[in-house]
Amino acid sequence: MASRLPTRRRFLGSAAAGAAALGLGASIGGRATAATGDIAAAPVADGLVLFTGAGGNVLVAEAPDSLLMIDSGVEEKAEALMRAIADRFGGRPVATLFNTHWHLDHTGGNALAAAQGAQILAQDNTRGWMGNAFYVAWQERHYPAREPAARPTASFDRTGEMDFGGRQILYGHLPRAHTDGDLYVRFPDADVVAVGDVVSPGAYPVLDYSTGGWSGEMIDSLAMLLETSGPDTVFVAGAGQPVGRAAVQAQHDMMVEVQARMVQLMRQGKGPADMMAEGMTADFDADWGDPSLYLYNAYQGIYGHFRDMRFA
Ligand SMILES: [Zn+2]
């Protein structure tokens, strides 16, 4: 017990082995979709269709001559996904593909979409991860650099805007939340915003501290999304069904409270195993599920950012 920082395996035990086994796709993005299920399509608003069953959620916007796509699912489902999109929209090409972050369940179809002519746009940090090899400690997994065809063709730092067939599209960075390269894409005409895995309806969010995510700035991102959205804004997360602002507020409030409790216990010298043993999140677990990975990753992130935090 030389270190207060537990290894992931020691803390999570067999649950960790299960999570690591899932590594490649679904686990890192939240809830899994059925591996054998078909791709399903459901309208979210006028000219906006949500495709599920390809890994992470894929949102497609239509213009008269082309399509705009947000995330591209897992590689194994890429052909089925692109076929389903072509069928739905009469073969209109995907002109632009946004990646909400680097995770493989959101970028696995990149190379195929690019081969069909899509330009891939991401936040600078996401483009950086995808061009390099790195290690994700909490998954105990090495990721090689992605093949050049799968990498973003353009990136941005903070915010951007585009005209897409007469529709205004606003996008921007959600810094250091789920990863350090998360982005949102807003469709003001439809009052819809795609937010990737920063919003995690009904499940503790994943804080991928190995690539820069942590609870303090996920809380900030959620607050920003709430401030810049209206009473009827629809949020399309990286997994699950679209939700309203109440779900985003609930996640924000849960995270603020859990982080406050965690900081208090950390100042007493306690670690995530103690927090689990004390049932620190017991009153939230019925709504948010198994807290073990969330507590472990939140702890790592707070530990790394302790000096950034202001205490009352
Ligand atoms: Zn993710």
Side-chain angles (χ1 to χ4, degrees):
M1 297 284 188
S3 168
R4 185 170 294 149
L5 282 172
T7 67
R8 175 174 167 278
R9 193 179 298 284
R10 220 164 75 213
F11 171 57
L12 291 173
S14 59
L22 286 168
L24 189 139
S27 71
I28 200 166
R31 284 142 300 167
T33 47
T36 53
D38 291 324
I39 309 292
V44 174
D46 258 5
L48 277 173
V49 177
L50 177 61
F51 290 81
T52 54
N57 280 339
V58 175
L59 186 64
V60 176
E62 63 173 325
D65 298 324
S66 66
L67 305 175
L68 181 149
M69 184 173 168
I70 300 169
D71 286 340
S72 63
V74 293
E75 187 173 7
E76 295 76 12
K77 296 282 188 167
E79 287 192 21
L81 172 66
M82 296 309 288
R83 202 161 47 237
I85 292 172
D87 288 349
R88 176 85 183 200
F89 295 107
R92 266 174 283 179
V94 176
T96 300
L97 164 60
F98 279 94
N99 286 156
T100 60
H101 60 296
W102 69 268
H103 287 162
L104 300 186
D105 54 339
H106 295 262
T107 59
N110 275 16
L112 183 59
Q116 296 179 7
Q119 297 291 308
I120 305 174
L121 185 55
Q123 202 277 333
D124 290 340
N125 295 334
T126 292
R127 193 182 197 186
W129 291 119
M130 292 176 72
N132 289 281
F134 56 91
Y135 181 66
V136 173
W138 60 273
Q139 291 187 308
E140 296 174 336
R141 181 170 174 190
H142 290 276
Y143 287 84
R146 301 289 295 277
E147 59 177 314
R151 297 177 196 167
T153 51
S155 62
F156 67 95
D157 178 11
R158 301 189 60 159
T159 59
E161 181 173 357
M162 70 166 73
D163 176 275
F164 172 63
R167 300 183 83 160
Q168 183 194 31
I169 312 285
L170 305 172
Y171 54 93
H173 191 196
L174 299 168
R176 297 194 291 186
H178 173 63
T179 68
D180 67 6
D182 304 300
L183 63 76
Y184 66 86
V185 181
R186 187 179 294 278
F187 300 88
D189 63 339
D191 201 6
V192 171
V193 58
V195 290
D197 287 335
V198 173
V199 173
S200 178
Y204 282 112
V206 172
L207 297 162
D208 181 1
Y209 68 86
S210 294
T211 61
W214 80 288
S215 60
E217 287 176 73
M218 185 179 275
I219 289 167
D220 293 346
S221 286
L222 295 169
M224 186 279 279
L225 287 168
L226 288 164
E227 280 167 20
T228 53
S229 298
D232 301 318
T233 299
V234 172
F235 298 81
V236 178
Q241 292 302 305
V243 294
R245 64 182 294 123
V248 181
Q249 187 74 56
Q251 181 183 337
H252 172 274
D253 296 350
M254 177 276 290
M255 292 186 69
V256 167
E257 178 61 26
V258 170
Q259 181 169 278
R261 293 177 190 178
M262 184 170 279
V263 166
Q264 193 171 30
L265 291 176
M266 285 171 78
R267 293 165 106 186
Q268 298 169 17
K270 293 181 176 172
D274 306 311
M275 296 169 191
M276 284 289 288
E278 290 183 16
M280 192 190 84
T281 59
D283 50 335
F284 289 115
D285 295 347
D287 288 335
W288 299 93
D290 181 346
S292 53
L293 183 64
Y294 179 67
L295 287 185
Y296 176 76
N297 284 10
Y299 177 88
Q300 300 291 335
I302 291 170
Y303 196 91
H305 288 91
F306 224 78
R307 288 180 194 185
D308 301 343
M309 299 179 76
R310 272 174 263 136
F311 301 108

